[in-house]
Amino acid sequence: MFEVKTQAYANKREHYADLAQQAQGLLHGEPSLIANAANFSALVFHSLPGLNWCGFYLYDGTELVVGPFQGKPACIRIALGKGVCGAAAQTRQTQLVRDVNAFDGHIACDAASQSEIVVPLVRADGSLLGVWDVDSPHVARFDAEDRAGMEALCAVFMEALAA
Ligand code: SME
């Protein structure tokens, strides 16, 4: 059985480093995209404070389609370039949005969401797998340390699939 740790951490960096190790242990040796995406979402959702949604949008060759996630039911399809997820997919740059109400074209799946971070997931061959989307009911929940931490977590996720 996998136990999500609930200990207190000295700082965010330490928390993300520990989370990356937990993710590695959870995903290691399992090549199933759906299994790993589901467990990864559950691990992050139950480990980090102040989240109301986290999960995957997977690229089907045309648009982003919702994948495994934790939180309320979400929008199903998002076109490239639309909303924060679509921007991350199109630009292949992490999108850190301090206030979604100030982001032109933000797609409100859950009215509670106030800030979010979306990391693009790009395979070693350069093709787009999808995006990792994390939402918070607090304005400015995510900072540069969250960005570095989320990108490191996503690297663990992508490496597990490639192994
Ligand atoms: N926030 C996203 C839409 C997806 S939901 O938040 C789950 C966006 O604007 O891309």
Side-chain angles (χ1 to χ4, degrees), residues 71-88:
K72 290 188 181 172
C75 320
I76 300 169
R77 291 175 184 270
I78 298 177
L80 292 194
K82 295 284 178 214
V84 186
C85 291

Side-chain angles (χ1 to χ4, degrees), residues 53 57 74 78 82-86 106-107 109 116 133 135:
W53 199 93
Y57 276 89
I78 298 177
K82 295 284 178 214
V84 186
C85 291
H106 170 253
I107 301 162
C109 294
E116 67 177 275
D133 177 10
D135 300 346

Side-chain angles (χ1 to χ4, degrees), residues 16-17 19-21 23-24 27 33 36-37 40-41 43-44 48 54-58 88 92-95 117-124 129-134 145-163:
Y16 275 108
L19 204 45
Q21 270 198 340
Q24 213 147 19
L27 310 183
L33 170 63
N36 283 353
F40 186 90
S41 303
L43 175 67
V44 172
L48 293 176
C54 71
F56 291 83
Y57 276 89
L58 301 172
R92 297 185 175 204
Q93 303 281 320
T94 297
Q95 305 291 308
I117 183 166
V118 182
V119 181
L121 303 170
V122 181
R123 297 186 189 91
L129 173 70
V131 301
W132 165 244
D133 177 10
V134 187
E145 285 195 331
D146 291 289
R147 178 197 192 107
M150 288 296 178
E151 288 178 348
L153 278 172
C154 287
V156 169
F157 179 79
M158 293 305 287
E159 276 161 26
L161 286 185

Side-chain angles (χ1 to χ4, degrees), residues 6 38 61 81:
T6 50

Side-chain angles (χ1 to χ4, degrees), residues 6 39 65 67 82 91 101 150 160:
T6 50
N39 266 336
V65 184
K82 295 284 178 214
T91 63
N101 301 302
M150 288 296 178

